Amino acid sequence: MAESRTAAVNAVLKRIKDENIEMVDFKFMDFPGQWQHFSIPASQLKEDSFEEGFGFDGSSLRGFKRIDESDMVIIPDPSTGFLDPFIEMKTLSLVGDVYEPVTKEKYQRCPRNIAQKAEAYVASTGIADTAFFGAEAEFFILDDVRFDTNGHSSFYFIDSREGRWNSGRNEEPNLGYKPRYKEGYFPVPPTDSMNDIRNMMVRHLINAGIEVETQHHEVATGGQAEIDLRFNSLTAMADDLLLFKYIVKNTARYYNKTVTFMPKPLFGDNGSGMHTHVSLWKDNKPLFYGNKYANLSDTALNFVGGILKHAPTLCALTNPTTNSYKRLVPGFEAPVNLAYSQRNRSAAIRIPLYSSSPNAKRIEYRTPDPSCNPYLAFAAMLMAGLDGIINKIDPGEPLDKNIYDMPPEELKNVPSAPASLEEALAALERDHSFLLKGDVFTGDVINAWIDYKFSREVQEMALRPHPYEYALYYDV
């Protein structure tokens, strides 16, 4: 391990010299789930920089340190380098881990540290040595976004030349090719007006070292899109997803457009999910293939059982915004039903059947959305599944029926995801002992997450009148 890290460090320093790189940019994650960064001249990056790191003020980052203990250190990971195509000067970007400056230990609230501890824990159990994740993050490409809220007014306005709501607008000329509501899946150009933009996103992703499987228009009107990345190990997949969001947003900006990963930015059409594929391997052999339902193994079924048992808790991390629950509404297409099925996309867990290969056998958890912090979300999903394996949790019978055809008396027996972020946080408070195993999550992390989300988001939303309340109640 030490030899490979030394080789990676030498490769970074050699690349800086050979490619005349002028700046080095360090990217790292805050607690809620957004990349932060700062840059140094390339001449300042030395071999010992990968041991000593660089200091910064942790009190200025959301969810990190108080001002009286604010000094933090970031140590770059030499295996994560990529040329940043959106910075004018030639810049090499490196993802970093956050450390305590006195103890030189990784900061327990550093999300990337939590993901790394989850990977170490699965190996320590002897169950598996690798957890693979593949995330499909949907998003909207928009032309205009405006919003404001204050003591006497509140509004948002989004617009897209592709939005069906603009079919009657004078666009000098309006060419009419605008996807119908809920009919934006796979139309060819000119109805799909975003193909070239998505192709450019794919080019940047590939150049940054990310393997892309496909890109396409998604179901909603108004520029909904999806670009699928090839699976990777847990921490690497979270790294890839953050780089993916960075590239997607900045590519859109180049075209004078804007991207949002909000789960439900548009009323009356599909929201954006992040279907997440998971499989466990040991000694280069897949553990989820077997002779049970949908060619799953007992290990896989128990993993499913753990996910379903702890799904309300997971929602606090996989669907961590108040907006997430505008998407997770029963009776629509969102996967709120806590069940599993080999083809039913209304179930929370689907078993994909595209391939009969044992290596391709995996589960797809459909409830998460792209507003999550992927390090925390993936780690929590892994811990829930491992709890299912360790305790041999039975997932129950699969749900292969069309949920929309089920009578109410039968549907009431199918549990649902929480209806709000507040409910999900309450579930996390009640049920989190499985997350503490192996010191992957700590009590401090759990409490800090609940406190942050409740005080900064749930409570703040509850205090403010909603614009639609005026339509409902102004004349009471």
Side-chain angles (χ1 to χ4, degrees), residues 3-19:
E3 290 180 3
S4 61
R5 182 174 175 85
T6 299
V9 168
N10 291 336
V12 168
L13 298 175
K14 184 176 186 298
R15 184 178 187 184
I16 289 172
K17 180 179 179 181
D18 292 348
E19 300 182 25

Side-chain angles (χ1 to χ4, degrees), residues 76-280:
D77 183 339
S79 69
T80 62
F82 68 94
L83 283 179
D84 196 317
F86 306 108
I87 299 177
E88 186 173 346
M89 293 181 68
K90 198 166 188 180
T91 298
L92 181 72
S93 283
L94 294 166
V95 176
D97 296 304
V98 179
Y99 284 73
E100 295 279 8
V102 177
T103 64
K104 290 295 184 179
E105 293 180 349
K106 289 185 178 179
Y107 180 41
Q108 66 177 358
R109 291 191 194 175
C110 172
R112 196 168 190 260
N113 175 36
I114 293 170
Q116 291 164 341
K117 287 194 293 183
E119 290 188 292
Y121 175 70
V122 68
S124 74
T125 65
I127 294 171
D129 52 36
T130 307
F132 283 121
F133 283 74
E136 302 171 354
E138 298 167 341
F139 55 95
F140 279 82
I141 306 170
L142 302 168
D143 289 290
D144 189 32
V145 56
R146 288 175 275 142
F147 54 89
D148 192 21
T149 185
N150 49 57
H152 66 278
S153 68
S154 183
F155 82 97
Y156 72 89
F157 179 87
I158 63 174
D159 204 7
S160 167
R161 291 183 65 88
E162 204 187 69
R164 187 68 175 183
W165 60 87
N166 284 322
S167 60
R169 185 172 69 177
N170 181 11
E171 295 180 347
E172 299 181 349
N174 188 325
L175 300 179
Y177 295 106
K178 303 181 190 299
R180 298 177 184 88
Y181 293 102
K182 298 182 180 295
E183 294 186 24
Y185 197 64
F186 283 17
V188 298
T191 302
D192 177 6
S193 66
M194 306 289 181
N195 191 63
D196 286 340
I197 296 176
R198 295 194 307 272
N199 279 343
M200 187 58 71
M201 293 170 177
V202 170
R203 173 186 285 178
H204 286 317
L205 288 165
I206 292 172
N207 288 344
I210 294 179
E211 191 170 351
V212 177
E213 293 188 335
T214 185
Q215 64 90 348
H216 59 84
H217 203 288
E218 255 299 334
V219 173
T221 190
Q224 193 182 32
E226 181 178 315
I227 300 174
D228 294 341
L229 311 182
R230 184 169 174 79
F231 65 87
N232 211 334
S233 57
L234 190 157
T235 302
M237 185 70 239
D239 289 344
D240 288 349
L241 186 59
L242 293 169
L243 179 52
F244 163 81
K245 294 175 80 169
Y246 177 76
I247 285 175
V248 163
K249 288 178 180 180
N250 280 283
T251 304
R253 188 170 183 266
Y254 175 83
Y255 286 90
N256 202 32
K257 295 184 183 291
T258 180
V259 158
T260 182
F261 287 91
M262 281 179 64
K264 192 69 173 179
L266 182 65
F267 171 69
D269 212 333
N270 284 38
S272 293
M274 190 182 76
H275 306 154
T276 304
H277 299 252
V278 189
S279 65
L280 296 183

Side-chain angles (χ1 to χ4, degrees), residues 118 131-135 234 274-280 288 302-308 310-311 313-315 317-319 348-349 363-369 372-389 434-435 440-441:
F132 283 121
F133 283 74
L234 190 157
M274 190 182 76
H275 306 154
T276 304
H277 299 252
V278 189
S279 65
L280 296 183
F288 278 7
N302 290 150
F303 192 96
V304 168
I307 294 284
L308 294 178
H310 298 297
T313 291
L314 292 180
C315 281
L317 296 162
T318 62
N319 305 81
I349 294 180
I363 70 162
E364 178 190 23
Y365 187 35
R366 297 174 61 80
T367 304
D369 69 54
C372 71
N373 182 329
Y375 297 116
L376 303 184
F378 296 163
M381 289 170 58
L382 177 60
M383 297 301 289
L386 290 175
D387 188 61
I389 294 171
F434 70 98
L435 296 173
V440 174
F441 288 78

